[in-house]
Amino acid sequence: MNSNEFSILILLLSVDAIVMAVLILMPVLRREHAFFGVRVSREIYEGEGRRILHRYWLCLIASFVALGAIGVLTAYYRRNFIYAVVSYLVTYPVAFALYANFAREVRPFRIVNDAKKFATSLRTRRLADYTTVVLEALIVVLAITPFVVLVYYYPAIPERVPVHWGFNGMPDRWARKTFSTVFFLPVLALYLQSWFLLLKYDLVHAKMTLPADQAEVYLAAKEKLIVTSTNMMDWLRALGAGLLGLVSMFVLFTTIESLRHWMPIANLLIWPFVGLLLIVVFYYLYRFMTINNSLEEATGNSNVQRESEAEKWSGGGLFYYNPDDPALIVEKRDGLGFTYNFAGKGIRLRLAFLALVPVIVIWALLDL
Amino acid sequence: MFIVVDEDDRRPIYQQVVDEIKSLLARGELREGASLPPVRQVAADLGVNLNTIATAYRELQREGLINIRHGAGAVVAARTPGDKTDDELRKPLRAALTQMALSGLARAEIMRIVTVELRGLLQGAK
């Protein structure tokens, strides 16, 4: 195994550790309120539920360890690194299948919601009400500037361009100068910006089910959730635009003599950006939790839905497919964020947009 | 400002939506020029079919209470009492009073009910 393969293995292992932590915590993050994506009584949660949970954890850890070991050992004996990669890729569907399977076991204990009266606010939710013009202008500038600068300097860029940099800011992989090797990052950034803007638009229009007798308390909390989510999106969009814009310039800072002095500064600037991105994600996750917890304290339940809708969730509250629901985006069963109604109007456009990811990646890889 | 629908209510959902919006209009909470949320938002939040809300909006438009413009959505219309003749307005009142008289309520009792309902309806009206 060479050092390159070793670093990929470390990366795979860290991604695995994160996925594992998420899958371990997911069923219990909101305790009995969203145990494997359904609401159960405290007695069930602390009794039968606990036993199911422990079996789930055991199966999960065992499958991670076993598949990981098989992959690494096969890779070692066959002298082919690809076995380790494949084993890690196989681990994810296996882990999610386990989660979904245990969720099915919990489902019969679900508390049926017999609410019959629902309210809606007559205030129209518009994207414009959650938009700061200055911030949008900043994001546009950050997304467009790399194109302008790269086009300007394109003739001056040598035939051999760096496509990857080490931690010290030194290039460690090179490729032929083509449109994709120079413009990959700004194109990716533009794609991500449009994707996030579409997501923000959808979030603003997320379904708000308000129980009639507590409509005001619910509305206040749900509005707060939407503001929190859109604020998070704004931070991610601005930081992402800055970060990708900066990295887009690396090719110039490395190859153009007159710009070389920018490289150490740019390389140093990356870290505050990455740090801030992480802080933003964790801070807002924490905010989601606290908003939902206080709603739960006030009303006893943070996530209300009709019985007919409850049956349309699968995979332990991860997937929602309901052709009878006009909503395109709905709150997840675990109360941490939102998900699409995969039968909603407009879902094809979103999925087509998502399908552009492999297209962009293949486009970039062809010239490497 | 909320509207509420009840699955146990015997009125169809679209009728409930019509009645809820009418009562907000009568109380003056929804004023002329105020815009109503898009059909999709109301339908999604209440968990009902798009057509149900579209029917309710059409009914309100038919009665001249809202204007629906393509792209601009539904807006509360100006109230012009002259649109309906005195007799047209009295008809449903007469029917309701007949119902009460037939159920054996005394004149004073009917008067009390009418006063209470009217007071409730106009509460908050400016």
Side-chain angles (χ1 to χ4, degrees):
Chain A
M1 189 185 294
N2 60 37
S3 73
N4 208 348
E5 287 176 353
F6 186 72
S7 62
I8 292 177
L9 194 66
I10 293 295
L11 184 76
L12 285 174
L13 274 172
S14 14
V15 174
D16 260 24
I18 294 170
V19 173
M20 177 99 148
V22 169
L23 279 168
I24 283 178
L25 288 177
M26 199 157 60
V28 288
L29 215 48
R30 305 194 48 71
R31 304 193 309 280
E32 69 268 25
H33 301 288
F35 183 52
F36 281 96
V38 292
R39 209 164 138 240
V40 296
S41 71
R42 176 156 294 182
E43 294 73 57
I44 291 293
Y45 180 71
E46 281 165 1
E48 183 64 23
R50 198 48 57 88
R51 280 190 285 281
I52 295 175
L53 182 70
H54 289 164
R55 269 195 293 125
Y56 163 70
W57 279 348
L58 197 70
C59 289
L60 196 63
I61 293 169
S63 64
F64 262 89
V65 172
L67 283 168
I70 291 171
V72 171
L73 288 176
T74 321
Y76 180 77
Y77 283 111
R78 291 271 175 98
R79 305 247 169 263
N80 192 344
F81 175 67
I82 203 75
Y83 287 102
V85 178
V86 168
S87 84
Y88 278 109
L89 291 179
V90 169
T91 309
Y92 302 132
V94 168
F96 277 103
L98 270 175
Y99 174 79
N101 195 45
F102 278 91
R104 252 197 300 281
E105 219 173 299
V106 174
R107 221 176 148 75
F109 300 110
R110 167 173 83 95
I111 294 178
V112 172
N113 178 31
D114 49 9
K116 297 277 187 205
K117 280 173 82 173
F118 295 95
T120 182
S121 159
L122 282 186
R123 192 179 79 80
T124 308
R125 296 192 292 276
R126 287 188 192 87
L127 182 60
D129 299 335
Y130 300 87
T131 300
T132 320
V133 177
V134 179
L135 186 86
E136 296 306 316
L138 177 76
I139 291 173
V140 168
V141 169
L142 284 174
I144 300 299
T145 309
F147 283 102
V148 178
V149 178
L150 285 171
V151 166
Y152 177 79
Y153 280 105
Y154 195 79
I157 298 174
E159 275 312 303
R160 207 164 146 268
V161 292
V163 289
H164 191 268
W165 291 262
F167 283 105
N168 52 6
M170 297 303 280
D172 55 15
R173 208 175 321 138
W174 299 74
R176 202 160 43 83
K177 169 180 154 186
T178 60
F179 181 73
S180 84
T181 49
V182 175
F183 287 95
F184 168 64
L185 281 170
V187 167
L188 180 74
L190 208 60
Y191 166 77
L192 288 176
Q193 286 300 339
S194 3
W195 188 211
F196 269 60
L197 193 63
L198 186 62
L199 266 180
K200 188 181 166 186
Y201 173 86
D202 287 341
L203 274 173
V204 168
H205 298 95
K207 180 191 188 83
M208 262 192 206
T209 304
L210 311 171
D213 47 346
Q214 289 155 322
E216 273 175 55
V217 187
Y218 264 85
L219 182 67
K222 299 296 169 190
E223 292 268 8
K224 218 186 278 178
L225 269 185
I226 289 194
V227 171
T228 308
S229 330
T230 51
N231 283 350
M232 179 173 85
M233 299 293 281
D234 285 348
W235 272 102
L236 294 180
R237 286 160 63 227
L239 288 172
L243 183 63
L244 284 174
L246 196 65
V247 183
S248 306
M249 298 295 167
F250 272 23
V251 63
L252 299 180
F253 298 160
T254 314
T255 57
I256 311 271
E257 196 53 51
S258 60
L259 298 174
R260 204 156 273 185
H261 61 281
W262 283 100
M263 193 58 198
I265 307 169
N267 194 42
L268 225 92
L269 264 175
I270 284 182
W271 299 107
F273 270 111
V274 174
L276 265 174
L277 273 171
L278 286 175
I279 290 172
V280 163
V281 169
F282 283 107
Y283 170 73
Y284 281 103
L285 277 182
Y286 166 76
R287 288 281 298 148
F288 283 136
M289 294 270 280
T290 51
I291 293 170
N292 275 324
N293 283 343
S294 55
L295 180 60
E296 228 151 59
E297 263 170 45
T299 63
N301 189 5
S302 72
N303 204 332
V304 168
Q305 62 179 347
R306 280 160 191 263
E307 204 37 41
S308 58
E309 285 162 11
E311 285 155 14
K312 307 289 182 174
W313 287 87
S314 55
L318 291 178
F319 300 103
Y320 183 58
Y321 184 92
N322 186 0
D324 297 328
D325 192 342
L328 177 61
I329 197 161
V330 294
E331 242 187 296
K332 273 214 316 269
R333 303 317 302 148
D334 57 12
L336 288 178
F338 299 80
T339 188
Y340 280 113
N341 171 10
F342 282 91
K345 187 172 173 255
I347 191 69
R348 288 211 186 108
L349 175 75
R350 272 79 177 167
L351 290 178
F353 218 84
L354 201 61
L356 280 180
V357 175
V359 174
I360 294 177
V361 170
I362 290 168
W363 168 69
L365 287 178
L366 283 180
D367 282 332
L368 281 188
Chain B
M1 213 185 319
F2 299 100
I3 58 171
V4 175
V5 297
D6 185 351
E7 283 171 12
D8 287 338
D9 197 314
R10 258 191 288 157
R11 288 171 299 162
I13 302 276
Y14 92 89
Q15 191 62 52
Q16 293 183 40
V17 173
V18 167
D19 292 349
E20 287 279 304
I21 292 177
K22 275 186 185 173
S23 95
L24 287 170
L25 288 166
R27 286 207 299 270
E29 283 188 42
L30 266 178
R31 310 262 183 98
E32 181 190 338
S35 59
L36 293 178
V39 170
R40 183 171 294 275
Q41 181 185 319
V42 178
D45 287 359
L46 292 176
V48 300
N49 196 288
L50 278 179
N51 289 328
T52 308
I53 306 300
T55 308
Y57 276 25
R58 269 201 304 275
E59 174 67 21
L60 289 163
Q61 184 185 33
R62 203 182 56 77
E63 295 189 32
L65 296 169
I66 63 171
N67 294 323
I68 303 173
R69 273 185 228 99
H70 198 74
V75 177
V76 176
R79 237 171 304 162
T80 46
D83 278 5
K84 279 189 178 177
T85 62
D86 203 33
D87 196 50
E88 248 181 289
L89 290 168
R90 279 171 190 243
K91 240 185 233 166
L93 177 65
R94 221 175 286 141
L97 290 174
T98 310
Q99 202 62 42
M100 285 195 227
L102 283 175
S103 63
L105 289 172
R107 184 196 168 95
E109 187 63 9
I110 294 175
M111 273 307 282
R112 196 191 61 82
I113 292 173
V114 170
T115 316
V116 168
E117 284 298 318
L118 192 63
R119 195 181 300 141
L121 188 71
L122 295 180
Q123 221 161 43
K126 306 275 150 61

